[in-house]
């Protein structure tokens, strides 16, 4: 346990570090990848370029430091990150590397203001925070490996089927190469894929939500091809679309994540998705229908138009049931979409629409999609008075702030 003086130093210097936030974290990654280029096998290079991960890691260290004498209070945050770390294969031996380079970066940026006393206090605090992560992750590693059908690290799966779902989304049905059982999962969870692309220096790891119900002898993921913008095309999604075919092997880690459907509850559930954000919702929808017959579920999906709208038939089939409702929003419908009544509402999902069409009082809301979509939904739900504990969401990237 840290002494009172150390705790005081930590708490009083957090604002200073936050002030230099981006400079310190940029320096931190430069120094760390300079000394440990092997870590580029684990970190997402695109997130680095866009600065999303920079903010996430150091920001969390500072936030944790504010609770250094009561880390229990931030256990949910630690748990969410620990799921991601376990899925990526982050191990205890990685922590001192991050700690060392974070301190070096703080020293570098603060210069003389970083006295020995301050640096020593941060070294102690980092160790306490790291230990909290390491112990939560140790339990997760054990559970992932020891559960029925579980495994440690990355296991080889064969692409059993590759199915085009829309102009931009393709599903991959993955079965274990060893033909043994596979671990169950909770709808909403994801797997990580580790790609070794021939001729490339580093491996790439990406997460994909499981888009079918649990209890099958395969995992299904549905991947959007990230291309056609001013930025470079997405590395992994394009490789999966263009170069991975039936019979090929992919390395994946066991299902992880804390964005999960609460099947203990029987109150209505509303699943809202934008674009490829529908993948965890599909798994949730199918699970409610299969396991919670009678539980009211509303599936609201927003896409540009039918060209990019995936898994439509699967939802339609389930929506024929009494307790299932489905609404389709297109913001750029084609002429054909109009002629064939392929959507319910033109435009975006708004607060007023939610107010008029969804019974807000006792429902739980789950949503996922592009960040602007998520911000708009979050704001609408808050405006309508939905309590925080009934709002659940997943970011398809490092967790951000929906209130910004
Ligand atoms: C929990 C979770 C679940 C997910 N589930 C799904 C899912 O079910 N389906 C799905 O399709 N995706 C899902 N994702 C997203 C997925 O993990 C990948 O992020 C996505 O496929 C893009 O990866 P990529 O390698 O193709 O793109 P990357 O190469 O990682 O690039 C990502 C983005 O950054 C841009 N970019 C690349 N380089 C630069 C640069 N130098 N400067 C500026 N911009 C740049 C690219 O244009 C692209 O838009 C999920 C993510 C998470 C965290
Ligand atoms: C106490 C120390 C650490 C903290 C507070 C921390 C925090 C975070 C946070 C907040 C995220 C984003 C999670 C999300 O929103 O999904 C993250 C992801 C990640 N962390 Fe950590 N982390 C720590 C240690 C480490 C270590 C030791 C490593 C390995 C060297 C590591 C590697 C990663 C990677 C690879 C990702 C995903 C990043 C990406 O793909 O862009 N982290 N971490």
């Amino acid at each position: 346990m840290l002494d009172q003086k150390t705790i005081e130093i930590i708490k009083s210097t957090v604002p200073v570090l936050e002030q230099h936030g981006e400079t310190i974290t940029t320096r931190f990654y430069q120094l760390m990848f300079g000394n440990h280029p092997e870590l580029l096998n684990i970190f997402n290079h695109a997130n680095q370029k866009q600065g999303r991960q920079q903010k996430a890691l150091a920001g969390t260290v500072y936030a944790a430091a504010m609770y250094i004498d009561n880390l229990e209070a931030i256990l949910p945050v630690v748990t969410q990150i620990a799921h991601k770390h376990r899925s990526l294969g982050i191990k205890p031996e990685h922590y001192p590397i991050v700690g060392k380079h974070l301190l070096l970066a703080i020293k570098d940026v603060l210069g003389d203001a970083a006295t020995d006393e301050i640096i020593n206090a941060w070294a102690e605090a980092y160790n306490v925070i790291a230990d909290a992560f390491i112990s939560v992750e140790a339990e997760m590693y054990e559970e992932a490996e020891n559960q029925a059908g579980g495994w440690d690290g990355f296991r080889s799966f064969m692409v059993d089927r590759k199915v085009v779902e829309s102009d931009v989304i393709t599903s991959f049905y993955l079965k274990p190469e060893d033909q043994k059982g596979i671990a169950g999962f909770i709808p909403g969870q994801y797997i990580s894929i580790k790609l070794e692309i021939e001729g490339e220096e580093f491996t790439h790891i990406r997460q994909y939500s499981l888009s079918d119900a649990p209890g099958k002898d395969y995992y299904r993921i549905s991947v959007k091809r990230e291309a056609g913008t001013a930025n470079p095309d997405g590395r992994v999604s394009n490789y999966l679309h263009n170069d991975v075919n039936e019979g090929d092997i992919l390395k994946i880690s066991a299902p992880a994540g804390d964005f999960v459907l609460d099947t203990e509850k029987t109150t209505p559930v509303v699943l809202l998705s934008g674009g490829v954000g529908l993948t965890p919702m599909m798994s949730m929808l199918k699970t409610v229908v299969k396991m919670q017959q009678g539980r009211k579920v509303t599936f609201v999906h927003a896409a540009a138009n039918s060209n990019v709208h995936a898994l439509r038939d699967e939802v339609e089939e389930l929506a024929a049931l009494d307790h299932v409702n489905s609404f389709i929003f297109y913001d750029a419908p084609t002429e054909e979409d109009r002629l064939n009544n392929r959507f319910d509402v033109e435009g975006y999902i708004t607060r007023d629409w939610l107010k008029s069409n969804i019974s807000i009082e006792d429902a739980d809301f789950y949503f996922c999609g592009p960040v602007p979509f998520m911000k708009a939904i979050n704001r609408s739900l808050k405006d309508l008075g939905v309590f925080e504990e009934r709002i659940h969401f997943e970011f398809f990237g490092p967790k951000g702030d929906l209130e910004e």
Side-chain angles (χ1 to χ4, degrees):
M1 198 52 220
L2 302 180
D3 63 34
Q4 203 50 39
K5 176 119 191 283
T6 308
I7 292 172
E8 273 161 28
I9 295 172
I10 293 298
K11 290 194 175 179
S12 65
T13 48
V14 166
V16 186
L17 298 186
E18 274 175 339
Q19 212 186 329
H20 294 277
E22 243 165 82
T23 330
I24 294 175
T25 46
T26 307
R27 187 78 190 115
F28 156 64
Y29 282 108
Q30 271 171 359
L31 289 167
M32 186 168 77
F33 291 138
N35 288 332
H36 291 273
E38 76 281 2
L39 291 180
L40 288 166
N41 285 309
I42 317 180
F43 281 88
N44 178 328
H45 305 195
N47 287 348
Q48 288 294 320
K49 296 256 162 50
Q50 294 169 318
R52 290 176 79 181
Q53 169 60 16
Q54 268 93 326
K55 283 192 209 150
L57 199 160
T60 308
V61 172
Y62 305 150
M66 287 310 279
Y67 289 92
I68 195 69
D69 44 357
N70 180 24
L71 281 178
E72 283 290 306
I74 58 157
L75 194 60
V77 180
V78 174
T79 304
Q80 183 255 333
I81 299 165
H83 271 286
K84 186 72 77 63
H85 282 164
R86 201 279 290 150
S87 167
L88 288 156
I90 308 302
K91 291 289 169 63
E93 57 270 26
H94 290 124
Y95 279 85
I97 302 176
V98 163
K100 176 181 158 192
H101 292 92
L102 196 55
L103 289 178
L104 282 174
I106 291 174
K107 254 198 223 163
D108 244 25
V109 174
L110 295 191
D112 289 345
T115 60
D116 283 353
E117 195 178 42
I118 291 177
I119 292 297
N120 291 339
W122 272 94
E124 279 190 60
Y126 175 81
N127 286 340
V128 171
I129 297 166
D131 283 347
F133 276 89
I134 291 169
S135 72
V136 172
E137 285 160 20
E139 273 178 41
M140 289 181 177
Y141 277 106
E142 210 178 291
E143 202 183 313
E145 186 175 1
N146 296 333
Q147 66 190 318
W151 69 95
D152 181 33
F154 288 83
R155 178 174 169 193
S156 294
F157 277 67
M158 195 173 74
V159 178
D160 186 53
R161 284 205 296 144
K162 180 178 177 184
V163 179
V164 174
E165 309 282 9
S166 79
D167 285 1
V168 291
I169 297 177
T170 289
S171 288
F172 296 82
Y173 291 73
L174 309 172
K175 287 189 171 178
E177 192 184 24
D178 60 21
Q179 297 184 353
K180 294 187 179 149
I182 57 173
F185 64 92
I186 313 174
Q189 288 193 308
Y190 56 82
I191 48 120
S192 284
I193 293 190
K194 177 152 88 178
L195 276 190
E196 285 168 41
I197 302 179
E198 216 180 287
E200 288 206 9
E201 193 177 358
F202 299 110
T203 56
H204 301 276
I205 306 181
R206 298 290 184 274
Q207 288 72 45
Y208 291 100
S209 302
L210 295 162
S211 66
D212 207 340
K216 310 274 162 76
D217 65 348
Y218 58 81
Y219 295 134
R220 182 178 73 173
I221 57 167
S222 306
V223 179
K224 179 185 170 215
R225 177 204 296 277
E226 297 293 345
T229 69
N231 294 322
D233 288 352
R235 192 67 197 97
V236 170
S237 59
N238 282 282
Y239 186 82
L240 290 171
H241 274 252
N242 300 338
D243 298 300
V244 173
N245 294 306
E246 290 175 2
D248 287 349
I249 300 294
L250 291 172
K251 300 265 190 200
I252 72 174
S253 62
D258 66 345
F259 172 68
V260 291
L261 177 71
D262 184 348
T263 49
E264 299 283 302
K265 283 195 176 174
T266 53
T267 41
V269 55
V270 182
L271 309 172
L272 301 141
S273 56
V276 76
L278 93 171
T279 50
M281 306 306 161
M282 281 304 307
S283 183
M284 292 185 185
L285 174 66
K286 290 182 160 203
T287 304
V288 172
V289 167
K290 193 167 134 204
M291 295 182 39
Q292 297 197 283
Q293 283 156 19
R295 184 174 187 189
K296 210 169 159 230
V297 53
T298 308
F299 191 91
V300 189
H301 181 57
N305 52 47
S306 63
N307 294 337
V308 291
H309 182 178
L311 303 169
R312 182 194 174 103
D313 295 349
E314 287 182 25
V315 177
E316 229 162 55
E317 196 180 310
L318 301 175
L321 297 165
D322 271 353
H323 61 113
V324 183
N325 254 324
S326 154
F327 297 96
I328 297 169
F329 281 69
Y330 284 169
D331 62 86
T334 62
E335 270 318 302
E336 284 241 295
D337 292 338
R338 288 183 203 285
L339 284 172
N340 298 311
N341 287 326
R342 286 205 188 119
F343 57 100
D344 301 298
V345 185
E346 181 165 349
Y348 297 121
I349 305 169
T350 62
R351 187 193 60 174
D352 289 346
W353 184 89
L354 288 167
K355 192 174 174 197
S356 315
N357 292 278
I358 306 287
S359 77
I360 303 287
E361 288 75 46
D362 53 353
D364 268 73
F365 293 82
Y366 293 82
F367 61 89
C368 180
V371 173
F373 168 93
M374 292 176 60
K375 285 188 174 171
I377 298 288
N378 188 54
R379 205 172 314 120
S380 297
L381 296 177
K382 293 271 170 69
D383 283 354
L384 292 169
V386 178
F387 294 128
E388 197 123 340
E389 58 269 26
R390 290 200 274 111
I391 300 181
H392 319 272
F393 49 83
E394 178 79 298
F395 277 92
F396 276 4
K399 210 179 177 82
D401 185 358
L402 288 183
E403 310 280 344
E404 262 174 3

